[in-house]
Amino acid sequence: GWSIDNDNHLYVRKSTISKSHIQGLKLKWSFVFPDTAPTTSAGNQATVAGGRLYIGNMNGMVYALDAESGCTHWSYRARTHVRTAIVVSDDTVVFADYESNVYALDAQSGALRWISRADQQPSARVNGNLTLHDGVVFVPISSNQEFTVSWKPETPCCSFQGVIVALDLKTGNKIWKTTLIDEPLRVIGLNSK
């Protein structure tokens, strides 16, 4: 995810990089995301593990690049946009697409190990990064209902409460699911549609 450890440290405590190193920095390699445009640009940060740089893209692709050369080891096409960081655990990479499909791939080959739909709600979206701990993948799920209603007023609104889903890293099977709002849903009014 966003951190180098489970305590959510957002910096490297013992870095060998100093101000003197920065002056001599030069571009080593670059990578252009194919099929990108302003609406399909990179949507997440890179993850570096085992000599590889893993990154997903709004074009629905996940790439495993060589961290030294930038050469592509493999690429994988998800069902839709990938906005999460790629989480790496030993020989497995895990990520989610925008429509709440969670994927586990072989880190070396990019072969699909499993895919699991974390939530069946049609407007469920994964915008946040996954967290992996002790063989469990935690998936934060939000919704785009409010956005959709703004341009499609006939769409039912506000029936999603936000959830976190826990999946087994080895199988993709759902371990548990919890809503983020304990209060039960209730109708408080109707619009003109």
Side-chain angles (χ1 to χ4, degrees):
W2 287 101
S3 178
I4 61 171
D5 59 28
N6 287 332
D7 291 326
N8 201 29
H9 290 113
L10 301 178
Y11 60 93
V12 177
R13 289 177 189 242
K14 296 180 182 178
S15 175
T16 58
I17 297 174
S18 68
K19 291 179 184 178
S20 64
H21 292 105
I22 295 172
Q23 294 173 342
L25 290 178
K26 294 180 181 150
L27 179 65
K28 190 168 187 175
W29 57 264
S30 64
F31 179 81
V32 175
F33 292 107
D35 304 321
T36 58
T39 59
T40 57
S41 61
N44 52 37
Q45 87 275 3
T47 299
V48 179
R52 294 190 178 184
L53 183 145
Y54 300 94
I55 191 163
N57 189 274
M58 293 292 283
N59 66 4
M61 297 296 292
V62 171
Y63 303 95
L65 307 176
D66 187 277
E68 283 295 314
S69 68
C71 292
T72 305
H73 285 284
W74 53 259
S75 61
Y76 180 86
R77 179 171 295 284
R79 294 180 178 169
T80 188
H81 314 310
V82 176
R83 297 182 69 176
T84 68
I86 311 306
V87 180
V88 181
S89 175
D90 298 323
D91 64 344
T92 304
V93 297
V94 184
F95 63 94
D97 69 22
Y98 189 57
E99 294 180 349
S100 75
N101 298 300
V102 181
Y103 304 78
L105 308 179
D106 180 276
Q108 293 303 308
S109 68
L112 179 67
R113 291 196 171 155
W114 54 260
I115 183 171
S116 179
R117 182 78 189 257
D119 195 274
Q120 298 302 319
Q121 168 82 353
S123 63
R125 300 291 180 253
V126 178
N127 287 313
N129 287 326
L130 310 181
T131 299
L132 180 59
H133 183 70
D134 286 341
V136 178
V137 181
F138 298 93
V139 185
I141 303 175
S142 60
S143 165
N144 71 352
Q145 286 181 338
E146 293 77 12
F147 168 74
T148 304
V149 169
S150 70
W151 58 275
K152 288 177 77 177
E154 67 278 3
T155 305
C157 177
C158 311
S159 62
F160 191 75
Q161 295 177 290
V163 297
I164 295 178
V165 176
L167 303 175
D168 182 272
L169 176 62
K170 293 194 182 309
T171 65
N173 292 335
K174 192 177 295 182
I175 299 170
W176 54 259
K177 174 181 174 179
T178 187
T179 59
L180 299 178
I181 300 172
D182 290 332
E183 182 181 339
L185 292 173
R186 59 188 169 82
V187 176
I188 58 173
L190 299 173
N191 66 17
S192 63
K193 299 286 183 179

